[in-house]
Amino acid sequence: MGRWWAGIDWSWGLQDFVIIDDGGRVVLHLRVEESREGVEQILRALRDLNPTSHRFSRRQVPIAIEDGSRLLVAELQRRRQPVVVIPPAVTARYRGRHGAAVSKSDRGDAALLADIIRQNPGRRSFLPENSDQAAAIAVLARTQASSTEAARAIMLRLRSHLGLYFPAAVEAWSGMQYGLRRPEARAVLALAPTPRLAAALSKRRLHDTLAAAGRTRLLDEEAARLRELFAAPGLRQRPETEQAMGERTRLHLAELSIACQHAAHLSELADTRFSAHPHHQIYRSFPACGPLVAARLFAEIGDAPERFPTGR
C-alpha cells in the first residue's frame, strides 16, 4: 500500500491543498475555502486515496501547514486528522535547496510543506491535541508576553526621546527594575514631562505623587533624590521646543500606560486560569518558577498526554 503526505498553504481566501506520493509527485491539488465545506473536501480527498482498502484511514496521511492557530487547523484536529506545523523559516530553507531561482507559488508551497514531512518522517511531530482549557491558557500567556514586549518597545522609544531634551528623567530610574515602566516613573513624568516643570516640583509634591502611584517604602528619601536630580543645572532645549517635546512625551506615556495595564491584566488572567488547571501545582513546584513563568512553560508544553511517549 502506498503512502501519501499532504500540505496546505493558507491565505486570505482559497487555501491550496496538495497531496504527494512516495516519490514526491503531486497526485492531487485542490483549492478550498476555510469553512466546513472546505474541511469536508479535504477529508473526502484523503479518504478517496485508497477507497478499496479497509486497512487504510485518512488519519495515516499527515497534513503540513505553517500556522497552527488557524480555524482550519482547529477543525481538522477536532476531526482527529494529524497536523504538523512547519515554521516559515524552515520552509524558506527547504525552498532554497530546490534551486537558486525557485518561483514561489501557493501550490508550490503546499507541495513543499508536504515534501518536508515526507523527507523527515521522524523529525516532525504532530500538533499536540491539548485540551480547550490548556489552549486558552496558552493564548493568554503568549498574549501577555507580546503585551510585555510591546510595553518594553514603547519604553525604549520614550527613553530615546527623553534623551534628546530631558536626560535627568532617563537617569532617574536607570538601573531600577522595569525602568520607565515603573508606575511611579510614569506618574512623575505625566506630572512634569519637561525639565522646567520637573525642576519646579517640590519635595512634598513628589512625595504625594510617588505615594499615589503605589510606592510605600522610603518615600521621603526617593522624593528628595528626585528633587535634587531635577533641580540640578543641565543642558536645555529652547522653551517652545522643550514644551513641544513634552507633548510628545505625554503621547508615549499614554501608550506605555495602556500597554502596561494590558500586560498586568493578562498576567492576572493567565495566573487565574492556570491555577484552575490540574497541572498547576506541578509547574509551581519547579525552582524559581513563579506564576507567569509557570503559565508560559505550560503554554509551550501543554497537557496532551500522548505528546511525550516516554519521560526522556
Side-chain angles (χ1 to χ4, degrees):
M1 183 173 65
R3 291 198 62 189
W4 297 272
W5 292 264
I8 297 176
D9 185 71
W10 188 91
S11 62
W12 293 101
L14 295 177
Q15 330 303 313
D16 282 79
F17 173 72
V18 166
I19 300 175
I20 64 173
D21 61 14
D22 274 323
R25 294 177 294 272
V26 174
V27 298
L28 178 71
H29 170 234
L30 295 175
R31 303 205 75 198
V32 300
E33 294 181 346
E34 190 175 32
S35 63
R36 288 184 178 275
E37 291 75 15
V39 173
E40 287 296 340
Q41 284 181 267
I42 290 173
L43 299 182
R44 189 181 311 116
L46 294 175
R47 285 192 294 265
D48 290 346
L49 286 172
N50 197 347
T52 60
S53 174
H54 67 278
R55 298 174 59 186
F56 173 76
S57 168
R58 61 173 172 79
R59 295 176 188 172
Q60 296 171 4
V61 184
I63 300 177
I65 193 170
E66 288 184 323
D67 190 348
S69 61
R70 310 291 345 162
L71 282 169
L72 183 65
V73 175
E75 182 63 19
L76 286 171
Q77 280 200 294
R78 193 182 70 82
R79 305 290 287 272
R80 309 289 292 179
Q81 184 65 39
V83 177
V84 179
V85 175
I86 307 295
V90 174
T91 309
R93 286 199 300 270
Y94 271 83
R95 188 184 297 114
R97 294 179 188 177
H98 284 256
V102 179
S103 59
K104 187 180 185 306
S105 68
D106 294 342
R107 172 177 172 168
D109 281 353
L112 181 60
L113 288 166
D115 202 44
I116 290 173
I117 55 175
R118 181 186 70 87
Q119 295 182 48
N120 304 273
R123 296 181 62 188
R124 301 295 169 189
S125 56
F126 295 135
L127 192 65
E129 297 183 12
N130 293 316
S131 67
D132 186 27
Q133 185 182 11
I137 294 168
V139 170
L140 292 172
R142 289 167 182 161
T143 306
Q144 195 281 334
S146 298
S147 191
T148 299
E149 186 57 34
R152 184 176 180 276
I154 297 170
M155 181 197 72
L156 293 176
R157 291 200 298 270
L158 172 61
R159 188 174 69 183
S160 177
H161 174 62
L162 289 171
L164 299 176
Y165 80 108
F166 195 180
V170 178
E171 183 184 348
W173 295 279
S174 178
M176 294 187 183
Q177 188 179 25
Y178 303 120
L180 293 171
R181 286 179 290 171
R182 296 171 68 90
E184 60 198 74
R186 291 184 276 122
V188 171
L189 285 175
L191 180 65
T194 67
R196 287 175 173 80
L197 291 175
L201 292 175
S202 65
K203 180 182 174 181
R204 183 75 238 174
R205 189 74 184 276
L206 284 166
H207 179 285
D208 293 344
T209 302
L210 293 171
R215 187 181 179 106
T216 57
R217 297 178 64 252
L218 304 174
L219 280 170
D220 287 334
E221 291 83 348
E222 181 65 6
R225 184 185 73 85
L226 292 175
R227 176 76 185 91
E228 181 180 358
L229 180 63
F230 293 153
L235 299 177
R236 299 274 183 87
Q237 294 278 2
R238 289 174 294 181
E240 289 191 20
T241 302
E242 181 181 287
Q243 185 179 2
M245 297 179 89
E247 291 304 316
R248 182 173 177 179
T249 292
R250 291 186 191 277
L251 173 63
H252 286 314
L253 285 171
E255 295 175 335
L256 182 59
S257 294
I258 292 174
C260 289
Q261 290 168 11
H262 286 172
H265 172 68
L266 287 165
S267 180
E268 294 177 5
L269 198 56
D271 183 39
T272 300
R273 291 286 186 92
F274 188 36
S275 297
H277 194 278
H279 292 185
H280 175 260
Q281 291 300 325
I282 299 174
Y283 284 82
R284 287 306 308 275
S285 68
F286 298 159
C289 194
L292 191 53
V293 173
R296 289 181 180 177
L297 281 174
F298 176 77
E300 302 310 318
I301 296 174
D303 64 354
E306 71 282 354
R307 180 176 183 181
F308 304 104
T310 67
R312 183 176 181 181

